[in-house]
């Protein structure tokens, strides 16, 4: 199957922060236990700022982490409800609100919110990464390319400040992925994976990157590992199903796409998934 939909390339990275933040809570808890005897209070989570303090990025508020979990599962309404309690003038809150608008198809409003988020923290790659998506969905290709390049520049600056920061590497890899430089993205994400091998976020993004490189067995294996870590990644079922189809595993193709449609019936790729499922009848 030839994949030409812009959203097929975009969404797997649009959940970049969602996946990263959702999977960071467990790591934060472990960090608290390790630092219990320290006189310095432990970080709230292992979002970019907390895993790499030298970058200066702030930690996402609890309400935003909850919203990101819902966005990961493509439950946009629940994400919006979670954000009702999020603090104002926070980069992560503004970014999440922009993503909700984008996923609801309100691209111009989303771009405005994401531009505001980008100005709140000029080092954070996430707002401009999602800003690129909003522009791309709105058929503003030139502005999208500029935003992706800016996201890469911000992420690269973080990596230069701390080369072993897995979150900075993660954002750099996703920014490269957005620009369809899949070989570079895979190499960068492998570095992030070496630093955080059990992170479902990295496994997912690396799996999708391999899918677009036509490395279907590697993609299937990595996506399976991601789902083992977090079974709520809606689009992991979509891409693993497509990879299974390329490997002539029609049973897994059907099962995964069926699960995807149930989790995300209103997602852009749901129509494609339904067409494939209908071919089995």
């Amino acid at each position: 199957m030839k994949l030409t939909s812009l959203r097929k390339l975009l969404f797997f990275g649009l959940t970049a922060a969602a996946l990263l933040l959702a999977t960071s809570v467990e790591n934060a808890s472990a960090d608290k236990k390790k630092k219990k005897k320290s006189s310095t209070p432990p970080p709230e989570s292992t979002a970019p700022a907390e895993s790499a303090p030298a970058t200066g990025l702030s930690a996402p508020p609890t309400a935003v982490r909850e919203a990101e979990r819902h966005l990961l599962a493509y439950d946009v309404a629940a994400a919006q409800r979670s954000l009702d309690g999020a603090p104002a003038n926070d980069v992560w809150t503004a970014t999440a609100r922009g993503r909700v608008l984008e996923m609801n198809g309100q691209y111009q409003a989303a771009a405005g919110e994401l531009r505001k988020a980008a100005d709140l923290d000029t080092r954070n790659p996430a707002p401009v990464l999602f800003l690129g998506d909003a522009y791309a969905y709105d058929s503003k290709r030139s502005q999208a390319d500029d935003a992706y390049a800016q996201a890469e520049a911000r992420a690269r600056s973080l990596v230069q400040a701390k080369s072993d920061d897995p979150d900075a590497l993660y954002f750099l890899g996703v920014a490269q992925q957005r620009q369809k430089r899949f070989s570079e993205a895979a190499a960068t994400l492998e570095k992030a994976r070496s630093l955080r091998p059990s992170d479902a976020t990295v496994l997912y993004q690396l799996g999708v990157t391999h899918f677009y490189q036509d490395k279907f067995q590697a993609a299937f294996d990595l996506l399976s590992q991601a789902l083992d870590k977090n079974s709520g990644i809606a689009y992991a079922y979509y891409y693993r199903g497509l990879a299974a189809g390329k490997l002539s595993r029609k049973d897994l193709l059907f099962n995964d796409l069926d699960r995807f449609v149930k989790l995300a019936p209103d997602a852009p790729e749901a129509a494609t998934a339904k067409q494939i499922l209908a071919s089995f009848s």
Side-chain angles (χ1 to χ4, degrees):
M1 172 185 298
K2 184 176 181 181
L3 303 177
T4 57
S5 169
L6 175 62
R7 284 185 177 271
K8 292 186 178 72
L9 175 60
L10 293 176
F11 187 88
F12 66 77
L14 309 335
T15 58
L19 290 167
L20 180 64
L21 301 178
T23 57
S24 68
V25 178
E26 180 179 353
N27 293 331
S29 177
D31 285 344
K32 284 189 177 183
K33 292 180 181 179
K34 293 179 181 178
K35 299 180 182 180
K36 186 175 181 180
K37 295 183 180 180
S38 173
S39 60
T40 302
E44 182 179 358
S45 74
T46 54
E50 302 309 301
S51 60
T55 66
L57 299 184
S58 63
T62 300
V64 173
R65 292 202 303 269
E66 180 67 14
E68 295 289 0
R69 182 176 66 82
H70 292 304
L71 289 173
L72 178 62
Y74 216 87
D75 191 342
V76 185
Q80 179 64 71
R81 290 193 296 270
S82 296
L83 289 173
D84 289 341
N89 297 320
D90 171 80
V91 61
W92 296 109
T93 300
T95 299
R97 291 192 190 284
R99 293 186 57 226
V100 167
L101 290 167
E102 177 265 302
M103 292 173 72
N104 279 327
Q106 299 171 267
Y107 303 132
Q108 291 185 9
E113 190 71 19
L114 290 164
R115 284 194 298 268
K116 180 178 76 173
D119 290 339
L120 288 172
D121 185 346
T122 58
R123 302 191 70 190
N124 195 321
V128 281
L129 186 68
F130 295 118
L131 176 61
D133 297 335
Y135 281 140
Y137 294 155
D138 203 24
S139 300
K140 296 179 178 179
R141 191 68 242 175
S142 178
Q143 285 130 304
D145 291 340
D146 289 343
Y148 292 146
Q150 185 179 358
E152 180 180 359
R154 288 189 179 193
R156 194 175 297 281
S157 178
L158 299 182
V159 171
Q160 290 172 346
K162 193 172 188 295
S163 61
D164 62 347
D165 177 3
D167 298 323
L169 287 165
Y170 174 80
F171 278 116
L172 177 59
V174 174
Q176 291 167 334
Q177 185 189 77
R178 271 307 179 286
Q179 298 172 85
K180 301 183 181 181
R181 302 199 325 259
F182 297 118
S183 294
E184 292 178 59
T188 303
L189 290 169
E190 280 289 2
K191 292 179 183 178
R193 182 190 184 193
S194 70
L195 294 166
R196 193 175 290 165
S198 297
D199 191 319
T201 306
V202 176
L203 293 168
Y204 168 73
Q205 294 293 345
L206 189 55
V208 178
T209 300
H210 283 320
F211 178 84
Y212 278 97
Q213 291 179 300
D214 294 336
K215 298 179 180 179
F216 302 119
Q217 186 63 61
F220 182 89
D221 293 342
L222 285 162
L223 292 166
S224 295
Q225 292 176 45
L227 287 168
D228 286 342
K229 302 294 182 183
N230 186 342
S231 61
I233 306 175
Y235 266 76
Y237 292 103
Y238 179 76
Y239 283 102
R240 190 177 71 169
L242 295 180
K246 294 290 187 179
L247 297 170
S248 299
R249 294 297 305 276
K250 304 301 182 184
D251 55 332
L252 295 176
L253 167 64
F254 180 90
N255 291 338
D256 275 359
L257 292 191
D258 183 64
R259 181 68 181 274
F260 169 69
V261 169
K262 289 176 179 176
L263 285 171
D266 298 323
E269 283 76 24
T272 298
K274 290 175 184 177
Q275 290 179 351
I276 297 172
L277 291 171
S279 69
F280 284 82
S281 60

